[in-house]
């Protein structure tokens, strides 16, 4: 199941829509919530959103910490801290931006392995009370 979680972040870092599509469970309706954004429900709507993210993110890298896993029959979840390094919108010109989010990734076991059903990432408030941007 951790391999499926790793595959999600690898697809995100690669900006590869085919890899991302292979990670997700098409039905019942998957849900994806990026920090500070509304929930995206439904496989085709979510794939369109990923295409837009990939088109506008020249570089992103995740360093996962505080990883916790729970498996209960055919449903499992991973919680982790996403330590993010990225370039593109919001980053200094010719530079990188960093951020942190807490994520919950819920998976369902299928005949072809574990598939991501729900991804929810929330920004972490810094000690100064300001949000740290991620994703």
């Amino acid at each position: 199941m951790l391999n499926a979680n790793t595959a999600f972040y690898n697809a995100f870092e690669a900006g590869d829509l085919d890899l991302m599509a292979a990670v997700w469970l098409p039905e019942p309706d998957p849900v994806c919530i990026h920090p500070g954004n509304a929930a995206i429900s439904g496989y085709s709507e979510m794939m369109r959103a990923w295409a837009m993210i990939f088109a506008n993110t020249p570089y992103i890298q995740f360093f996962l910490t505080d990883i916790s896993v729970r498996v209960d029959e055919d449903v499992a979840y991973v919680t982790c801290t996403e330590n993010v390094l990225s370039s593109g919108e919001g980053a200094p010109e010719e530079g990188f931006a960093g951020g942190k989010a807490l994520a919950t990734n819920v998976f369902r076991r299928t005949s072809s392995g574990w598939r991501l059903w729900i991804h929810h990432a929330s920004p972490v408030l810094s000690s100064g009370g300001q949000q740290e941007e991620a994703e």
Side-chain angles (χ1 to χ4, degrees):
M1 198 278 308
L2 272 175
N3 289 339
N5 195 65
T6 299
F8 168 66
Y9 288 101
N10 287 345
F12 202 156
E13 288 179 346
D16 188 314
L17 197 56
D18 291 333
L19 289 177
M20 186 59 78
V23 167
W24 283 89
L25 181 72
E27 293 189 9
D29 281 350
V31 175
C32 186
I33 304 172
H34 295 289
N37 290 292
I40 302 165
S41 297
Y43 188 77
S44 27
E45 292 84 358
M46 191 173 43
M47 288 302 110
R48 278 194 294 276
W50 281 115
M52 293 299 296
I53 289 169
F54 293 160
N56 292 294
T57 307
Y59 176 85
I60 192 162
Q61 186 173 9
F62 292 89
F63 302 93
L64 303 182
T65 58
D66 310 312
I67 298 169
S68 178
V69 177
R70 169 77 189 254
V71 179
D72 188 4
E73 296 183 19
D74 291 337
V75 176
Y77 66 81
V78 175
T79 59
C80 61
T81 300
E82 299 176 343
N83 301 281
V84 184
L85 182 63
S86 65
S87 67
E89 187 175 324
E93 191 173 325
E94 297 183 30
F96 294 94
K100 187 181 286 193
L102 298 179
T104 303
N105 297 317
V106 180
F107 297 86
R108 289 185 69 166
R109 188 188 330 252
T110 70
S111 58
S112 57
W114 290 99
R115 295 293 176 256
L116 187 56
W117 186 20
I118 300 166
H119 168 72
H120 183 180
S122 298
V124 174
L125 295 178
S126 70
S127 58
Q130 296 179 329
Q131 290 183 353
E132 294 186 25
E133 291 297 319
E135 291 188 36

